[in-house]
Amino acid sequence: RSRAKMLARAALIGACLAMTEGFSPSFTTGRTLGLRAGARVNAQGAQTVRCQQKREAGETVAEYENRLEGFRRAATAAVPSGILLSQLAFPFQEAAAKGAEYGLLEGKAAALIHPAVMIGLYGFTLFTGYQGLMWRKIRELGDEMKPLQDESKKLKAEMESLTAAEKPTSAVEGKLKSVEQELEKLTDERKKLLAGGYRDKHFALASLLLASGVTFSIEGCFDTYFRTGKLFPGPHLFAGAGITVLWAIAASLVPEMQKGNQNARSMHIGLNAIILALFTWQIPTGWKILDNVLNKVPWVPVPPPV
């Protein structure tokens, strides 16, 4: 196999040299590579066969020779770059050969995409959950304010009736003041939370989390298959599949949640709590896989020896 590699590299270098010689006034490839040029030689011993460039009408022999010499020099200057490129490109050509048919998709760079994205998505999950809990708190504050608002209206109506009857209102005024103070406190807190835009942020972030999470969960399976030709049933794979399914179920509850269905909201929160738990459980198993990738997967995969 090493001999085949050497022959392939030699062929690439020879091709680079042959391209530069093709611009010369005559075939000199034979002299360069030790091959027979097969060119005819005139009485003075000069090769007369011309390559690549056609002599233009009205062009003298001297002008023709000078033009070819210019082409040859320009091409010769590219030989070192061509030789270097042939050596750099060779491993990538091998990576796409039989036995490593997916090329660089089997390499370390592609394998690191899944863990890098999933680490980001774990933090993204925590932040999205925080936004959702803040929006839930805003709704709960609104629910707490409703009975206080009703009580305030009732006390105000009672004060009006007492005033009209010219009866003392001090007891009712004390109750009303206490209710309005509590109501004002909740109103201010709710206004501050509303200014954070948690509802819209949670919806946008959750949509992005769903799209990217499902995409890179599947990408992780493809990456494993590209590198090994199979999947490995185990805790990491099963937990990832469960998270992907639960993402879809949690998203399907959104229409009912928007209608005010409290059961759907509670189920949505519960499912996402399970998702976070499974995601956290994946960290140690994923870390073992990442360690194998870092230590065992090459940046440029090569086919196994035949």
Side-chain angles (χ1 to χ4, degrees):
R1 185 169 182 78
S2 59
R3 183 180 179 184
K5 289 182 180 179
M6 292 177 62
L7 290 174
R9 288 192 172 95
L12 287 170
I13 295 171
C16 293
L17 293 172
M19 285 188 293
T20 63
E21 295 297 343
F23 288 109
S24 66
S26 60
F27 270 121
T28 56
T29 308
R31 295 196 298 274
T32 304
L33 300 180
L35 303 175
R36 294 180 60 86
R40 295 181 180 180
V41 181
N42 60 16
Q44 288 76 28
Q47 294 174 334
T48 58
V49 177
R50 308 301 184 190
C51 300
Q52 304 293 335
Q53 298 295 320
K54 181 180 179 181
R55 181 177 173 181
E56 301 293 340
E59 188 176 32
T60 65
V61 174
E63 291 172 340
Y64 178 48
E65 297 288 350
N66 289 335
R67 182 163 61 87
L68 292 178
E69 181 65 16
F71 281 126
R72 188 192 66 78
R73 289 177 179 175
T76 301
V79 169
S81 298
I83 294 174
L84 177 62
L85 180 62
S86 71
Q87 303 309 297
L88 293 176
F90 192 77
F92 294 93
Q93 294 167 343
E94 268 198 342
K98 187 177 180 181
E101 64 264 39
Y102 299 110
L104 294 179
L105 290 177
E106 300 179 32
K108 186 177 294 186
L112 291 176
I113 294 175
H114 180 77
V117 172
M118 286 301 166
I119 290 171
L121 287 182
Y122 183 77
F124 204 66
T125 299
L126 294 172
F127 186 64
T128 304
Y130 169 76
Q131 301 286 328
L133 291 175
M134 289 298 100
W135 172 237
R136 181 179 176 86
K137 187 174 182 180
I138 291 172
R139 290 199 314 271
E140 290 176 344
L141 286 173
D143 293 337
E144 289 180 31
M145 290 169 60
K146 286 179 181 178
L148 292 174
Q149 290 169 344
D150 293 339
E151 187 176 357
S152 176
K153 290 178 181 179
K154 182 179 178 181
L155 291 172
K156 287 179 180 179
E158 187 177 349
M159 278 190 61
E160 290 177 0
S161 63
L162 290 173
T163 302
E166 298 182 353
K167 293 181 179 180
T169 60
S170 57
V172 178
E173 285 179 357
K175 291 181 181 179
L176 180 60
K177 185 177 180 179
S178 177
V179 169
E180 287 187 339
Q181 286 178 346
E182 183 66 21
L183 188 59
E184 184 179 0
K185 179 182 177 182
L186 294 176
T187 301
D188 291 341
E189 185 178 358
R190 190 170 185 270
K191 284 181 179 179
K192 290 179 181 178
L193 290 175
L194 284 171
Y198 294 112
R199 178 182 180 276
D200 294 336
K201 289 180 181 178
H202 179 69
F203 188 84
L205 293 174
S207 299
L208 182 59
L209 177 62
L210 175 65
S212 55
V214 172
T215 299
F216 285 97
S217 293
I218 296 174
E219 181 273 338
C221 296
F222 273 101
D223 175 71
T224 301
Y225 182 79
F226 285 152
R227 286 187 290 108
T228 64
K230 59 182 178 179
L231 297 179
F232 298 93
H236 194 79
L237 179 63
F238 294 147
I243 290 171
T244 305
V245 172
L246 292 178
W247 269 329
I249 297 174
S252 70
L253 296 172
V254 172
E256 287 299 316
M257 293 165 59
Q258 291 174 334
K259 295 176 183 178
N261 189 324
Q262 293 298 327
N263 292 329
R265 288 172 176 170
S266 298
M267 188 175 179
H268 180 82
I269 294 173
L271 289 174
N272 279 285
I274 296 172
I275 288 171
L276 181 60
L278 289 174
F279 219 151
T280 304
W281 186 45
Q282 276 193 308
I283 293 175
T285 55
W287 188 261
K288 292 180 181 178
I289 298 172
L290 177 60
D291 184 62
N292 288 333
V293 169
L294 292 173
N295 294 319
K296 297 180 181 180
V297 178
W299 288 104
V300 180
V302 289
V306 178

